[in-house]
Amino acid sequence: MMQRGIAAACVVLAWLLLCAWAWRRSRREAAARTRALRALDTAPGEGAVLVAHASQTGYAETLAAQTADTLRAGGLAVRTVALGQLDPARLAHHGRVLFVASTYGEGDPPDAAAPFADRMDAATGGALEGLQYAVLALGDSGYANFCGFGRQLDEWLRARGAAPLFDRVEVDNGDAAALRHWQHHLGLLAGRSDLPDWEAPAYDAWRLSGRVLLNPGSEGGPCYLVSLAPGDGARAAWQAGDIAEIGPRRERGGQRLPHREYSIASLPQDGCLQLLVRQMRAPDGSLGLGSGWLTEIARIGDEIELRVRVNRNFHAPADGRPLILVGNGTGLAGLRAHIKQRRAAGHRSNWLIFGERSAARDAFCNAEIEAWLADGTLARADRVYSRDQPRRRYVQHVLAEQAAQLRQWVEAGAAIYVCGSLQGMAAGVDAALREILGAERLLALQHEGGYRRDVY
Ligand SMILES: Cc1cc2nc3c(=O)[nH]c(=O)nc-3n(C[C@H](O)[C@H](O)[C@H](O)COP(=O)(O)OP(=O)(O)OC[C@H]3O[C@@H](n4cnc5c(N)ncnc54)[C@H](O)[C@@H]3O)c2cc1C
Ligand SMILES: Cc1cc2nc3c(=O)[nH]c(=O)nc-3n(C[C@H](O)[C@H](O)[C@H](O)COP(=O)(O)O)c2cc1C
């Protein structure tokens, strides 16, 4: 009896210590954020340019860095910053700001820009008369709200009296002509007409070294674990959260097609770069360009063009805070890389919530998940199979059922990482989290970088 009492007291004490640690850490982070904001408020110097990027999966950030390099080559003083770190009301402290902004969801700002976008409405009109700006808006005209956030940002700046240096440049799917147009304007700003053209980052040569079908007999599309080995000189450096850009071909050795993106599912120390790829087909039966290349057309040993894109927004927290990993389908890829990285770092407070269709056919990587549970890498794993019972059950239902546990984890400082489909899953998870934690708490968590998504 006495022993049980002592054990219970120890658990309570450990819990209190964890909460105190989480509270102190959040205070330290808030102070660091305030310091960073103050530093941005200092006058950047005559003629200096601030380049602000709003990026979900890293492309806008890459282009912002190229923009800054081009201006520096022309002799200008330049600072780059994530838009989410700026206060809209204080933009006027900067004489010239170039914005590189992508659009996400359905015409929404990228997650990391939410702190800025949320405060845009609150900032009163006419306060930015001293500001000169330009917007490079990234988007994809396949979406209904093309360049939605870039356009919204541009209109907002104009309405507050800021003066455009030149018209907004809209880039459809990385369109090279639009990017050249932006570079032309940068050349004018820098007073140089001899600046070199930007080039897309070069691919490295990798080899297809393995391909395993993970869901034989599935009602969904076939999903493969694709392994790629670096060829001579290939840069095999990445971390959990990063994205592989693949250069597909229509047939073996044939014409090069536009790149496709895949969440990386392994770590460099695994010796190969792995992806979880769902094979896509059009209604006429033809294969999707990227998924068809990786899952059917290319053969083992064939060369695959690949480049790694840094995706800072989905990198792991810098410390060992608890992690809640939520995903469905091929979204397990990004979560798998994170679990492997946490295991290597010895961070064991990890809770996986994964959804697919049927336990009999779609339990991807189940042996691995069992092994992680057995060796303590995962503190818990909830696998939910939507079609194994008369009423569909998804990851968001697990969240709702485990609301009390989830609140406890978040109170203890947990971050929430979501990977997988935007349609259905991401919105369902977002709604469930809002219900469980409250809209304000979830927003605060997102602003602190404790709620991150790689959804597509
Ligand atoms: C950040 C990010 C991470 C991603 N991670 C992953 C991942 O880990 N795993 C994964 O599998 N995918 C992932 N994707 C999705 C991936 O990039 C591709 O979009 C996906 O593989 C489909 O591309 P595809 O080239 O095979 O198909 P596409 O050729 O682009 O076709 C796309 C869709 O349109 C349909 N289609 C094509 N032509 C027609 C037509 N003529 N008429 C009607 N329909 C048509 C195809 O069937 C397919 O469903 C990710 C995307 C992003 C943005
Ligand atoms: C899930 C998802 C949703 C998107 N929604 C839109 C959209 O509504 N409008 C648009 O123009 N582009 C949309 N895009 C395209 C992106 O803006 C474009 O790919 C951009 O280059 C991404 O830049 P980033 O990597 O910096 O986020 C979307 C892309 C993804 C993956």
Side-chain angles (χ1 to χ4, degrees):
M1 193 69 166
M2 171 102 158
Q3 271 175 338
R4 251 197 274 161
I6 292 171
C10 286
V11 170
V12 171
L13 189 64
W15 182 252
L16 288 174
L17 284 172
L18 195 61
C19 290
W21 169 80
W23 179 77
R24 285 192 53 199
R25 201 203 56 222
S26 78
R27 297 248 318 191
R28 267 204 310 274
E29 285 174 353
R33 273 197 303 280
T34 309
R35 277 199 303 277
L37 274 175
R38 284 210 189 108
L40 282 167
D41 285 343
T42 57
E46 190 71 20
V49 181
L50 187 70
V51 179
H53 52 83
S55 187
Q56 183 74 29
T57 62
Y59 186 49
E61 190 176 346
T62 305
L63 293 183
Q66 282 180 301
T67 296
D69 287 346
T70 299
L71 295 177
R72 281 191 198 107
L76 293 177
V78 186
R79 257 196 297 181
T80 56
V81 65
L83 185 65
Q85 288 175 9
L86 286 177
D87 182 346
R90 293 175 179 171
L91 269 181
H93 293 237
H94 304 272
R96 288 192 286 182
V97 183
L98 303 186
F99 298 89
V100 184
S102 81
T103 292
Y104 203 58
E106 286 157 20
D108 305 323
D111 286 345
F116 185 95
D118 291 342
R119 275 178 281 160
M120 273 164 68
D121 293 337
T124 44
L128 299 178
E129 272 100 3
L131 175 71
Q132 292 182 304
Y133 77 96
V135 175
L136 182 67
L138 311 182
D140 179 338
S141 55
Y143 288 91
N145 200 341
F146 177 54
C147 289
F149 180 58
R151 289 177 182 180
Q152 188 194 340
L153 186 62
D154 189 13
E155 279 156 26
W156 180 84
L157 288 158
R158 273 175 210 254
R160 268 142 199 88
L165 289 157
F166 48 89
D167 281 351
R168 179 179 66 240
V169 177
E170 296 185 345
V171 184
D172 188 1
N173 241 324
D175 173 44
L179 289 175
R180 272 197 301 280
H181 188 60
W182 174 255
Q183 288 168 72
H184 163 78
H185 283 299
L186 297 183
L188 294 178
L189 274 183
R192 297 269 299 265
S193 58
D194 58 345
L195 296 171
D197 263 4
W198 290 353
E199 284 178 15
Y203 287 119
D204 286 326
W206 291 62
R207 300 231 160 257
L208 184 62
S209 58
R211 183 160 61 201
V212 179
L213 178 62
L214 296 175
N215 58 349
S218 174
E219 285 176 48
C223 178
Y224 292 84
L225 178 68
V226 171
S227 301
L228 301 154
D232 288 343
R235 288 155 292 182
W238 70 88
Q239 56 174 293
D242 286 341
I243 288 171
E245 291 185 359
I246 298 283
R249 309 253 169 181
R250 201 174 291 285
E251 61 215 19
R252 297 181 71 219
Q255 171 205 354
R256 189 187 261 181
L257 298 164
H259 81 263
R260 291 290 184 271
E261 295 148 65
Y262 297 92
S263 311
I264 301 178
S266 62
L267 298 179
Q269 49 266 44
D270 294 319
C272 62
L273 188 152
Q274 292 183 310
L275 311 170
L276 295 185
V277 183
R278 174 93 63 189
Q279 187 179 87
M280 309 293 278
R281 282 187 189 272
D284 68 2
S286 57
L287 284 168
L289 300 183
S291 62
W293 169 242
L294 288 169
T295 62
E296 198 156 312
I297 297 169
R299 292 200 200 132
I300 300 296
D302 277 357
E303 184 179 300
I304 306 285
E305 293 192 310
L306 184 152
R307 58 186 180 230
V308 171
R309 190 162 91 213
V310 174
N311 184 19
R312 223 176 298 283
N313 291 327
F314 205 62
H315 280 178
D319 53 27
R321 75 187 65 184
L323 207 56
I324 303 171
L325 303 128
V326 186
N328 69 336
T330 54
L332 186 60
L335 306 182
R336 183 178 186 255
H338 274 295
I339 296 168
K340 281 169 170 270
Q341 195 164 300
R342 298 273 293 181
R343 186 171 189 271
H347 300 321
R348 295 156 75 93
S349 279
N350 305 306
W351 177 5
L352 172 68
I353 303 171
F354 172 64
E356 247 296 335
R357 284 189 173 176
S358 110
R361 289 177 291 276
D362 302 297
F364 305 170
C365 308
N366 210 39
E368 203 164 37
I369 294 171
E370 288 297 331
W372 286 329
L373 279 168
D375 73 9
T377 301
L378 289 176
R380 66 179 286 181
D382 292 272
R383 282 151 285 183
V384 53
Y385 296 100
S386 57
R387 300 185 181 205
D388 280 0
Q389 56 282 306
R391 249 182 108 174
R392 298 276 162 89
R393 270 187 93 230
Y394 301 108
V395 284
Q396 53 267 38
H397 297 123
V398 175
L399 292 173
E401 286 155 17
Q402 300 298 329
Q405 277 287 314
L406 190 115
R407 255 183 245 116
Q408 272 187 13
W409 276 60
V410 171
E411 272 161 30
I416 303 171
Y417 279 45
V418 183
C419 193
S421 48
L422 179 71
Q423 297 287 334
M425 195 270 300
V429 166
D430 193 74
L433 291 175
R434 201 163 319 152
E435 184 69 34
I436 296 163
L437 301 172
E440 225 170 281
R441 180 75 192 93
L442 187 62
L443 202 62
L445 200 61
Q446 187 178 43
H447 289 193
E448 294 156 12
Y451 173 36
R452 294 170 182 257
R453 302 186 301 168
D454 172 18
V455 291
Y456 44 88

